[in-house]
PDB file of all heavy atoms in Angstrom:
ATOM      1  N   PHE Q1048      90.860 113.258  92.817  1.00  0.00           N
ATOM      2  CA  PHE Q1048      92.115 112.726  92.281  1.00  0.00           C
ATOM      3  C   PHE Q1048      92.044 111.225  92.030  1.00  0.00           C
ATOM      4  O   PHE Q1048      91.330 110.488  92.718  1.00  0.00           O
ATOM      5  CB  PHE Q1048      93.271 113.016  93.252  1.00  0.00           C
ATOM      6  CG  PHE Q1048      93.650 114.460  93.340  1.00  0.00           C
ATOM      7  CD1 PHE Q1048      93.124 115.257  94.351  1.00  0.00           C
ATOM      8  CD2 PHE Q1048      94.496 115.035  92.409  1.00  0.00           C
ATOM      9  CE1 PHE Q1048      93.462 116.599  94.437  1.00  0.00           C
ATOM     10  CE2 PHE Q1048      94.846 116.371  92.490  1.00  0.00           C
ATOM     11  CZ  PHE Q1048      94.323 117.159  93.506  1.00  0.00           C
ATOM     12  N   GLU Q1049      92.843 110.804  91.041  1.00  0.00           N
ATOM     13  CA  GLU Q1049      92.982 109.396  90.702  1.00  0.00           C
ATOM     14  C   GLU Q1049      94.464 109.104  90.497  1.00  0.00           C
ATOM     15  O   GLU Q1049      95.144 109.828  89.755  1.00  0.00           O
ATOM     16  CB  GLU Q1049      92.200 109.085  89.429  1.00  0.00           C
ATOM     17  CG  GLU Q1049      92.281 107.647  88.973  1.00  0.00           C
ATOM     18  CD  GLU Q1049      91.467 107.418  87.717  1.00  0.00           C
ATOM     19  OE1 GLU Q1049      92.000 107.640  86.611  1.00  0.00           O
ATOM     20  OE2 GLU Q1049      90.277 107.033  87.852  1.00  0.00           O
ATOM     21  N   LEU Q1050      94.960 108.066  91.160  1.00  0.00           N
ATOM     22  CA  LEU Q1050      96.370 107.694  91.079  1.00  0.00           C
ATOM     23  C   LEU Q1050      96.483 106.373  90.333  1.00  0.00           C
ATOM     24  O   LEU Q1050      96.078 105.331  90.833  1.00  0.00           O
ATOM     25  CB  LEU Q1050      96.961 107.565  92.489  1.00  0.00           C
ATOM     26  CG  LEU Q1050      98.465 107.298  92.598  1.00  0.00           C
ATOM     27  CD1 LEU Q1050      99.271 108.480  92.067  1.00  0.00           C
ATOM     28  CD2 LEU Q1050      98.844 107.011  94.052  1.00  0.00           C
ATOM     29  N   ASP Q1051      97.015 106.432  89.124  1.00  0.00           N
ATOM     30  CA  ASP Q1051      97.106 105.267  88.242  1.00  0.00           C
ATOM     31  C   ASP Q1051      98.569 104.820  88.176  1.00  0.00           C
ATOM     32  O   ASP Q1051      99.366 105.372  87.414  1.00  0.00           O
ATOM     33  CB  ASP Q1051      96.584 105.627  86.853  1.00  0.00           C
ATOM     34  CG  ASP Q1051      96.484 104.407  85.939  1.00  0.00           C
ATOM     35  OD1 ASP Q1051      97.131 103.389  86.225  1.00  0.00           O
ATOM     36  OD2 ASP Q1051      95.769 104.493  84.922  1.00  0.00           O
ATOM     37  N   SER Q1052      98.936 103.812  88.971  1.00  0.00           N
ATOM     38  CA  SER Q1052     100.323 103.356  89.012  1.00  0.00           C
ATOM     39  C   SER Q1052     100.740 102.686  87.713  1.00  0.00           C
ATOM     40  O   SER Q1052     101.903 102.778  87.309  1.00  0.00           O
ATOM     41  CB  SER Q1052     100.526 102.388  90.183  1.00  0.00           C
ATOM     42  OG  SER Q1052     100.375 103.068  91.417  1.00  0.00           O
ATOM     43  N   ALA Q1053      99.825 101.968  87.075  1.00  0.00           N
ATOM     44  CA  ALA Q1053     100.175 101.253  85.841  1.00  0.00           C
ATOM     45  C   ALA Q1053     100.635 102.218  84.754  1.00  0.00           C
ATOM     46  O   ALA Q1053     101.563 101.925  83.999  1.00  0.00           O
ATOM     47  CB  ALA Q1053      98.978 100.439  85.354  1.00  0.00           C
ATOM     48  N   ARG Q1054      99.989 103.375  84.683  1.00  0.00           N
ATOM     49  CA  ARG Q1054     100.355 104.373  83.658  1.00  0.00           C
ATOM     50  C   ARG Q1054     101.197 105.507  84.227  1.00  0.00           C
ATOM     51  O   ARG Q1054     101.501 106.467  83.514  1.00  0.00           O
ATOM     52  CB  ARG Q1054      99.086 104.937  83.005  1.00  0.00           C
ATOM     53  CG  ARG Q1054      98.313 103.914  82.192  1.00  0.00           C
ATOM     54  CD  ARG Q1054      97.238 104.572  81.364  1.00  0.00           C
ATOM     55  NE  ARG Q1054      96.181 105.145  82.186  1.00  0.00           N
ATOM     56  CZ  ARG Q1054      95.233 105.972  81.728  1.00  0.00           C
ATOM     57  NH1 ARG Q1054      95.241 106.342  80.464  1.00  0.00           N
ATOM     58  NH2 ARG Q1054      94.295 106.424  82.543  1.00  0.00           N
ATOM     59  N   ARG Q1055     101.585 105.384  85.514  1.00  0.00           N
ATOM     60  CA  ARG Q1055     102.395 106.421  86.176  1.00  0.00           C
ATOM     61  C   ARG Q1055     101.734 107.779  85.996  1.00  0.00           C
ATOM     62  O   ARG Q1055     102.349 108.754  85.559  1.00  0.00           O
ATOM     63  CB  ARG Q1055     103.817 106.454  85.620  1.00  0.00           C
ATOM     64  CG  ARG Q1055     104.514 105.123  85.524  1.00  0.00           C
ATOM     65  CD  ARG Q1055     104.731 104.479  86.866  1.00  0.00           C
ATOM     66  NE  ARG Q1055     105.673 105.214  87.701  1.00  0.00           N
ATOM     67  CZ  ARG Q1055     105.974 104.873  88.959  1.00  0.00           C
ATOM     68  NH1 ARG Q1055     105.357 103.853  89.532  1.00  0.00           N
ATOM     69  NH2 ARG Q1055     106.837 105.571  89.644  1.00  0.00           N
ATOM     70  N   ARG Q1056     100.457 107.891  86.386  1.00  0.00           N
ATOM     71  CA  ARG Q1056      99.668 109.089  86.088  1.00  0.00           C
ATOM     72  C   ARG Q1056      98.853 109.513  87.299  1.00  0.00           C
ATOM     73  O   ARG Q1056      98.159 108.702  87.916  1.00  0.00           O
ATOM     74  CB  ARG Q1056      98.743 108.816  84.899  1.00  0.00           C
ATOM     75  CG  ARG Q1056      97.906 109.979  84.422  1.00  0.00           C
ATOM     76  CD  ARG Q1056      97.142 109.561  83.178  1.00  0.00           C
ATOM     77  NE  ARG Q1056      96.381 110.666  82.606  1.00  0.00           N
ATOM     78  CZ  ARG Q1056      95.103 110.941  82.901  1.00  0.00           C
ATOM     79  NH1 ARG Q1056      94.445 110.162  83.768  1.00  0.00           N
ATOM     80  NH2 ARG Q1056      94.491 111.960  82.338  1.00  0.00           N
ATOM     81  N   LEU Q1057      98.945 110.797  87.654  1.00  0.00           N
ATOM     82  CA  LEU Q1057      98.077 111.416  88.650  1.00  0.00           C
ATOM     83  C   LEU Q1057      97.159 112.378  87.913  1.00  0.00           C
ATOM     84  O   LEU Q1057      97.623 113.200  87.114  1.00  0.00           O
ATOM     85  CB  LEU Q1057      98.901 112.184  89.689  1.00  0.00           C
ATOM     86  CG  LEU Q1057      98.101 113.042  90.685  1.00  0.00           C
ATOM     87  CD1 LEU Q1057      97.297 112.171  91.639  1.00  0.00           C
ATOM     88  CD2 LEU Q1057      99.026 113.980  91.461  1.00  0.00           C
ATOM     89  N   ALA Q1058      95.860 112.267  88.170  1.00  0.00           N
ATOM     90  CA  ALA Q1058      94.904 113.129  87.473  1.00  0.00           C
ATOM     91  C   ALA Q1058      93.921 113.731  88.462  1.00  0.00           C
ATOM     92  O   ALA Q1058      93.556 113.102  89.459  1.00  0.00           O
ATOM     93  CB  ALA Q1058      94.148 112.346  86.399  1.00  0.00           C
ATOM     94  N   ARG Q1059      93.502 114.960  88.171  1.00  0.00           N
ATOM     95  CA  ARG Q1059      92.432 115.609  88.927  1.00  0.00           C
ATOM     96  C   ARG Q1059      91.290 115.881  87.963  1.00  0.00           C
ATOM     97  O   ARG Q1059      91.466 116.583  86.967  1.00  0.00           O
ATOM     98  CB  ARG Q1059      92.902 116.913  89.564  1.00  0.00           C
ATOM     99  CG  ARG Q1059      91.740 117.651  90.240  1.00  0.00           C
ATOM    100  CD  ARG Q1059      92.172 118.815  91.081  1.00  0.00           C
ATOM    101  NE  ARG Q1059      91.000 119.419  91.697  1.00  0.00           N
ATOM    102  CZ  ARG Q1059      90.980 120.050  92.866  1.00  0.00           C
ATOM    103  NH1 ARG Q1059      92.098 120.162  93.564  1.00  0.00           N
ATOM    104  NH2 ARG Q1059      89.871 120.568  93.342  1.00  0.00           N
ATOM    105  N   ASP Q1060      90.126 115.300  88.250  1.00  0.00           N
ATOM    106  CA  ASP Q1060      88.957 115.440  87.368  1.00  0.00           C
ATOM    107  C   ASP Q1060      89.323 115.103  85.925  1.00  0.00           C
ATOM    108  O   ASP Q1060      88.873 115.749  84.969  1.00  0.00           O
ATOM    109  CB  ASP Q1060      88.377 116.850  87.461  1.00  0.00           C
ATOM    110  CG  ASP Q1060      87.820 117.163  88.843  1.00  0.00           C
ATOM    111  OD1 ASP Q1060      87.265 116.243  89.469  1.00  0.00           O
ATOM    112  OD2 ASP Q1060      87.968 118.313  89.300  1.00  0.00           O
ATOM    113  N   GLY Q1061      90.177 114.092  85.762  1.00  0.00           N
ATOM    114  CA  GLY Q1061      90.547 113.630  84.433  1.00  0.00           C
ATOM    115  C   GLY Q1061      91.722 114.342  83.803  1.00  0.00           C
ATOM    116  O   GLY Q1061      92.265 113.879  82.797  1.00  0.00           O
ATOM    117  N   ALA Q1062      92.135 115.491  84.365  1.00  0.00           N
ATOM    118  CA  ALA Q1062      93.256 116.256  83.812  1.00  0.00           C
ATOM    119  C   ALA Q1062      94.544 115.851  84.523  1.00  0.00           C
ATOM    120  O   ALA Q1062      94.618 115.865  85.757  1.00  0.00           O
ATOM    121  CB  ALA Q1062      93.011 117.752  83.974  1.00  0.00           C
ATOM    122  N   GLU Q1063      95.571 115.514  83.759  1.00  0.00           N
ATOM    123  CA  GLU Q1063      96.812 115.021  84.337  1.00  0.00           C
ATOM    124  C   GLU Q1063      97.546 116.107  85.106  1.00  0.00           C
ATOM    125  O   GLU Q1063      97.618 117.256  84.684  1.00  0.00           O
ATOM    126  CB  GLU Q1063      97.715 114.458  83.245  1.00  0.00           C
ATOM    127  CG  GLU Q1063      98.977 113.800  83.773  1.00  0.00           C
ATOM    128  CD  GLU Q1063      99.725 113.027  82.722  1.00  0.00           C
ATOM    129  OE1 GLU Q1063      99.240 112.950  81.571  1.00  0.00           O
ATOM    130  OE2 GLU Q1063     100.804 112.493  83.039  1.00  0.00           O
ATOM    131  N   ARG Q1064      98.114 115.718  86.250  1.00  0.00           N
ATOM    132  CA  ARG Q1064      98.966 116.585  87.054  1.00  0.00           C
ATOM    133  C   ARG Q1064     100.399 116.040  86.978  1.00  0.00           C
ATOM    134  O   ARG Q1064     100.621 114.858  87.230  1.00  0.00           O
ATOM    135  CB  ARG Q1064      98.494 116.629  88.510  1.00  0.00           C
ATOM    136  CG  ARG Q1064      97.147 117.326  88.719  1.00  0.00           C
ATOM    137  CD  ARG Q1064      97.296 118.814  88.433  1.00  0.00           C
ATOM    138  NE  ARG Q1064      96.073 119.556  88.581  1.00  0.00           N
ATOM    139  CZ  ARG Q1064      95.707 120.173  89.712  1.00  0.00           C
ATOM    140  NH1 ARG Q1064      96.482 120.104  90.791  1.00  0.00           N
ATOM    141  NH2 ARG Q1064      94.585 120.845  89.774  1.00  0.00           N
ATOM    142  N   HIS Q1065     101.335 116.905  86.653  1.00  0.00           N
ATOM    143  CA  HIS Q1065     102.710 116.454  86.471  1.00  0.00           C
ATOM    144  C   HIS Q1065     103.396 116.193  87.809  1.00  0.00           C
ATOM    145  O   HIS Q1065     103.299 116.984  88.740  1.00  0.00           O
ATOM    146  CB  HIS Q1065     103.520 117.486  85.698  1.00  0.00           C
ATOM    147  CG  HIS Q1065     104.977 117.131  85.580  1.00  0.00           C
ATOM    148  ND1 HIS Q1065     105.428 116.118  84.765  1.00  0.00           N
ATOM    149  CD2 HIS Q1065     106.075 117.627  86.220  1.00  0.00           C
ATOM    150  CE1 HIS Q1065     106.736 116.013  84.880  1.00  0.00           C
ATOM    151  NE2 HIS Q1065     107.158 116.908  85.761  1.00  0.00           N
ATOM    152  N   LEU Q1066     104.092 115.053  87.880  1.00  0.00           N
ATOM    153  CA  LEU Q1066     104.972 114.731  88.991  1.00  0.00           C
ATOM    154  C   LEU Q1066     106.226 114.086  88.423  1.00  0.00           C
ATOM    155  O   LEU Q1066     106.151 113.278  87.497  1.00  0.00           O
ATOM    156  CB  LEU Q1066     104.313 113.742  89.963  1.00  0.00           C
ATOM    157  CG  LEU Q1066     103.290 114.271  90.963  1.00  0.00           C
ATOM    158  CD1 LEU Q1066     102.678 113.102  91.727  1.00  0.00           C
ATOM    159  CD2 LEU Q1066     103.934 115.251  91.939  1.00  0.00           C
ATOM    160  N   THR Q1067     107.379 114.440  88.965  1.00  0.00           N
ATOM    161  CA  THR Q1067     108.602 113.744  88.582  1.00  0.00           C
ATOM    162  C   THR Q1067     108.507 112.294  89.056  1.00  0.00           C
ATOM    163  O   THR Q1067     107.719 111.979  89.962  1.00  0.00           O
ATOM    164  CB  THR Q1067     109.835 114.410  89.205  1.00  0.00           C
ATOM    165  OG1 THR Q1067     109.713 114.372  90.638  1.00  0.00           O
ATOM    166  CG2 THR Q1067     109.983 115.853  88.741  1.00  0.00           C
ATOM    167  N   PRO Q1068     109.271 111.377  88.464  1.00  0.00           N
ATOM    168  CA  PRO Q1068     109.169 109.957  88.852  1.00  0.00           C
ATOM    169  C   PRO Q1068     109.350 109.719  90.343  1.00  0.00           C
ATOM    170  O   PRO Q1068     108.641 108.916  90.952  1.00  0.00           O
ATOM    171  CB  PRO Q1068     110.281 109.292  88.035  1.00  0.00           C
ATOM    172  CG  PRO Q1068     110.409 110.152  86.817  1.00  0.00           C
ATOM    173  CD  PRO Q1068     110.174 111.557  87.303  1.00  0.00           C
ATOM    174  N   LYS Q1069     110.292 110.415  90.964  1.00  0.00           N
ATOM    175  CA  LYS Q1069     110.554 110.178  92.377  1.00  0.00           C
ATOM    176  C   LYS Q1069     109.415 110.724  93.250  1.00  0.00           C
ATOM    177  O   LYS Q1069     109.040 110.100  94.258  1.00  0.00           O
ATOM    178  CB  LYS Q1069     111.881 110.811  92.775  1.00  0.00           C
ATOM    179  CG  LYS Q1069     112.442 110.313  94.082  1.00  0.00           C
ATOM    180  CD  LYS Q1069     112.776 108.832  94.068  1.00  0.00           C
ATOM    181  CE  LYS Q1069     113.952 108.498  93.211  1.00  0.00           C
ATOM    182  NZ  LYS Q1069     114.335 107.068  93.331  1.00  0.00           N
ATOM    183  N   ALA Q1070     108.822 111.856  92.870  1.00  0.00           N
ATOM    184  CA  ALA Q1070     107.686 112.392  93.618  1.00  0.00           C
ATOM    185  C   ALA Q1070     106.474 111.475  93.470  1.00  0.00           C
ATOM    186  O   ALA Q1070     105.715 111.273  94.428  1.00  0.00           O
ATOM    187  CB  ALA Q1070     107.361 113.805  93.133  1.00  0.00           C
ATOM    188  N   PHE Q1071     106.295 110.923  92.272  1.00  0.00           N
ATOM    189  CA  PHE Q1071     105.193 109.975  92.061  1.00  0.00           C
ATOM    190  C   PHE Q1071     105.380 108.759  92.961  1.00  0.00           C
ATOM    191  O   PHE Q1071     104.426 108.273  93.587  1.00  0.00           O
ATOM    192  CB  PHE Q1071     105.144 109.560  90.596  1.00  0.00           C
ATOM    193  CG  PHE Q1071     103.913 108.771  90.232  1.00  0.00           C
ATOM    194  CD1 PHE Q1071     102.787 109.394  89.729  1.00  0.00           C
ATOM    195  CD2 PHE Q1071     103.876 107.393  90.414  1.00  0.00           C
ATOM    196  CE1 PHE Q1071     101.641 108.672  89.410  1.00  0.00           C
ATOM    197  CE2 PHE Q1071     102.733 106.660  90.102  1.00  0.00           C
ATOM    198  CZ  PHE Q1071     101.618 107.305  89.593  1.00  0.00           C
ATOM    199  N   GLN Q1072     106.612 108.264  93.059  1.00  0.00           N
ATOM    200  CA  GLN Q1072     106.896 107.115  93.913  1.00  0.00           C
ATOM    201  C   GLN Q1072     106.602 107.441  95.374  1.00  0.00           C
ATOM    202  O   GLN Q1072     106.046 106.612  96.104  1.00  0.00           O
ATOM    203  CB  GLN Q1072     108.349 106.684  93.744  1.00  0.00           C
ATOM    204  CG  GLN Q1072     108.708 105.422  94.520  1.00  0.00           C
ATOM    205  CD  GLN Q1072     110.176 105.068  94.392  1.00  0.00           C
ATOM    206  OE1 GLN Q1072     110.945 105.732  93.697  1.00  0.00           O
ATOM    207  NE2 GLN Q1072     110.582 104.012  95.067  1.00  0.00           N
ATOM    208  N   LEU Q1073     106.954 108.647  95.817  1.00  0.00           N
ATOM    209  CA  LEU Q1073     106.664 109.054  97.189  1.00  0.00           C
ATOM    210  C   LEU Q1073     105.165 109.042  97.443  1.00  0.00           C
ATOM    211  O   LEU Q1073     104.702 108.525  98.476  1.00  0.00           O
ATOM    212  CB  LEU Q1073     107.224 110.452  97.455  1.00  0.00           C
ATOM    213  CG  LEU Q1073     106.807 111.102  98.780  1.00  0.00           C
ATOM    214  CD1 LEU Q1073     107.298 110.278  99.977  1.00  0.00           C
ATOM    215  CD2 LEU Q1073     107.327 112.530  98.872  1.00  0.00           C
ATOM    216  N   LEU Q1074     104.387 109.588  96.510  1.00  0.00           N
ATOM    217  CA  LEU Q1074     102.939 109.597  96.680  1.00  0.00           C
ATOM    218  C   LEU Q1074     102.390 108.178  96.734  1.00  0.00           C
ATOM    219  O   LEU Q1074     101.522 107.873  97.560  1.00  0.00           O
ATOM    220  CB  LEU Q1074     102.287 110.387  95.541  1.00  0.00           C
ATOM    221  CG  LEU Q1074     100.751 110.490  95.575  1.00  0.00           C
ATOM    222  CD1 LEU Q1074     100.272 111.100  96.890  1.00  0.00           C
ATOM    223  CD2 LEU Q1074     100.249 111.302  94.393  1.00  0.00           C
ATOM    224  N   GLU Q1075     102.893 107.296  95.886  1.00  0.00           N
ATOM    225  CA  GLU Q1075     102.461 105.897  95.923  1.00  0.00           C
ATOM    226  C   GLU Q1075     102.720 105.274  97.300  1.00  0.00           C
ATOM    227  O   GLU Q1075     101.856 104.568  97.846  1.00  0.00           O
ATOM    228  CB  GLU Q1075     103.220 105.089  94.877  1.00  0.00           C
ATOM    229  CG  GLU Q1075     102.733 105.251  93.452  1.00  0.00           C
ATOM    230  CD  GLU Q1075     103.484 104.321  92.515  1.00  0.00           C
ATOM    231  OE1 GLU Q1075     104.731 104.324  92.542  1.00  0.00           O
ATOM    232  OE2 GLU Q1075     102.818 103.588  91.759  1.00  0.00           O
ATOM    233  N   ILE Q1076     103.900 105.519  97.847  1.00  0.00           N
ATOM    234  CA  ILE Q1076     104.253 104.942  99.153  1.00  0.00           C
ATOM    235  C   ILE Q1076     103.316 105.450 100.241  1.00  0.00           C
ATOM    236  O   ILE Q1076     102.801 104.677 101.060  1.00  0.00           O
ATOM    237  CB  ILE Q1076     105.720 105.284  99.499  1.00  0.00           C
ATOM    238  CG1 ILE Q1076     106.682 104.565  98.547  1.00  0.00           C
ATOM    239  CG2 ILE Q1076     106.039 104.907 100.955  1.00  0.00           C
ATOM    240  CD1 ILE Q1076     108.117 105.041  98.665  1.00  0.00           C
ATOM    241  N   LEU Q1077     103.080 106.759 100.255  1.00  0.00           N
ATOM    242  CA  LEU Q1077     102.233 107.340 101.300  1.00  0.00           C
ATOM    243  C   LEU Q1077     100.789 106.867 101.180  1.00  0.00           C
ATOM    244  O   LEU Q1077     100.134 106.571 102.190  1.00  0.00           O
ATOM    245  CB  LEU Q1077     102.304 108.871 101.224  1.00  0.00           C
ATOM    246  CG  LEU Q1077     103.661 109.500 101.552  1.00  0.00           C
ATOM    247  CD1 LEU Q1077     103.603 111.009 101.370  1.00  0.00           C
ATOM    248  CD2 LEU Q1077     104.098 109.153 102.977  1.00  0.00           C
ATOM    249  N   VAL Q1078     100.268 106.791  99.938  1.00  0.00           N
ATOM    250  CA  VAL Q1078      98.890 106.338  99.733  1.00  0.00           C
ATOM    251  C   VAL Q1078      98.743 104.877 100.151  1.00  0.00           C
ATOM    252  O   VAL Q1078      97.780 104.497 100.824  1.00  0.00           O
ATOM    253  CB  VAL Q1078      98.470 106.541  98.267  1.00  0.00           C
ATOM    254  CG1 VAL Q1078      97.150 105.819  97.975  1.00  0.00           C
ATOM    255  CG2 VAL Q1078      98.314 108.031  97.953  1.00  0.00           C
ATOM    256  N   ALA Q1079      99.710 104.032  99.765  1.00  0.00           N
ATOM    257  CA  ALA Q1079      99.633 102.611 100.103  1.00  0.00           C
ATOM    258  C   ALA Q1079      99.707 102.378 101.612  1.00  0.00           C
ATOM    259  O   ALA Q1079      99.117 101.432 102.131  1.00  0.00           O
ATOM    260  CB  ALA Q1079     100.752 101.852  99.399  1.00  0.00           C
ATOM    261  N   ALA Q1080     100.420 103.256 102.316  1.00  0.00           N
ATOM    262  CA  ALA Q1080     100.595 103.099 103.762  1.00  0.00           C
ATOM    263  C   ALA Q1080      99.501 103.776 104.578  1.00  0.00           C
ATOM    264  O   ALA Q1080      99.416 103.551 105.790  1.00  0.00           O
ATOM    265  CB  ALA Q1080     101.954 103.656 104.196  1.00  0.00           C
ATOM    266  N   ALA Q1081      98.699 104.637 103.958  1.00  0.00           N
ATOM    267  CA  ALA Q1081      97.705 105.446 104.677  1.00  0.00           C
ATOM    268  C   ALA Q1081      96.805 104.570 105.554  1.00  0.00           C
ATOM    269  O   ALA Q1081      96.423 103.466 105.166  1.00  0.00           O
ATOM    270  CB  ALA Q1081      96.866 106.221 103.674  1.00  0.00           C
ATOM    271  N   PRO Q1082      96.499 105.066 106.766  1.00  0.00           N
ATOM    272  CA  PRO Q1082      96.853 106.370 107.360  1.00  0.00           C
ATOM    273  C   PRO Q1082      98.133 106.337 108.205  1.00  0.00           C
ATOM    274  O   PRO Q1082      98.385 107.248 108.967  1.00  0.00           O
ATOM    275  CB  PRO Q1082      95.643 106.673 108.240  1.00  0.00           C
ATOM    276  CG  PRO Q1082      95.232 105.308 108.741  1.00  0.00           C
ATOM    277  CD  PRO Q1082      95.515 104.348 107.607  1.00  0.00           C
ATOM    278  N   ARG Q1083      98.911 105.285 108.068  1.00  0.00           N
ATOM    279  CA  ARG Q1083     100.127 105.142 108.872  1.00  0.00           C
ATOM    280  C   ARG Q1083     101.121 106.264 108.586  1.00  0.00           C
ATOM    281  O   ARG Q1083     101.272 106.689 107.442  1.00  0.00           O
ATOM    282  CB  ARG Q1083     100.799 103.792 108.563  1.00  0.00           C
ATOM    283  CG  ARG Q1083     102.107 103.557 109.291  1.00  0.00           C
ATOM    284  CD  ARG Q1083     102.609 102.131 109.053  1.00  0.00           C
ATOM    285  NE  ARG Q1083     103.083 101.925 107.698  1.00  0.00           N
ATOM    286  CZ  ARG Q1083     104.335 102.120 107.297  1.00  0.00           C
ATOM    287  NH1 ARG Q1083     105.234 102.584 108.164  1.00  0.00           N
ATOM    288  NH2 ARG Q1083     104.691 101.871 106.055  1.00  0.00           N
ATOM    289  N   VAL Q1084     101.793 106.718 109.635  1.00  0.00           N
ATOM    290  CA  VAL Q1084     102.896 107.660 109.467  1.00  0.00           C
ATOM    291  C   VAL Q1084     104.117 106.876 108.981  1.00  0.00           C
ATOM    292  O   VAL Q1084     104.547 105.927 109.635  1.00  0.00           O
ATOM    293  CB  VAL Q1084     103.223 108.384 110.783  1.00  0.00           C
ATOM    294  CG1 VAL Q1084     104.432 109.303 110.606  1.00  0.00           C
ATOM    295  CG2 VAL Q1084     102.017 109.184 111.276  1.00  0.00           C
ATOM    296  N   VAL Q1085     104.651 107.272 107.837  1.00  0.00           N
ATOM    297  CA  VAL Q1085     105.819 106.587 107.283  1.00  0.00           C
ATOM    298  C   VAL Q1085     107.060 107.328 107.766  1.00  0.00           C
ATOM    299  O   VAL Q1085     107.252 108.505 107.435  1.00  0.00           O
ATOM    300  CB  VAL Q1085     105.779 106.558 105.748  1.00  0.00           C
ATOM    301  CG1 VAL Q1085     106.959 105.746 105.208  1.00  0.00           C
ATOM    302  CG2 VAL Q1085     104.460 105.986 105.245  1.00  0.00           C
TER     303      VAL Q1085
END
């Protein structure tokens, strides 16, 4: 997986995976905080 915040894009092996804006934001928060429990 690749998480591209600038383009608001999550991709697996280059293929985009759909996330709603709020779910994308949640993933960004968890990844940025890893491995901390948020």
Side-chain angles (χ1 to χ4, degrees):
F1048 290 96
E1049 180 179 86
L1050 185 65
D1051 187 341
S1052 293
R1054 294 191 293 168
R1055 311 296 293 177
R1056 183 175 184 268
L1057 172 69
R1059 175 170 181 150
D1060 295 324
E1063 186 169 357
R1064 292 292 179 93
H1065 175 72
L1066 281 175
T1067 60
K1069 196 63 70 174
F1071 190 93
Q1072 184 183 358
L1073 171 62
L1074 180 57
E1075 282 185 309
I1076 292 170
L1077 294 177
V1078 169
R1083 177 173 71 90
V1084 177
V1085 184

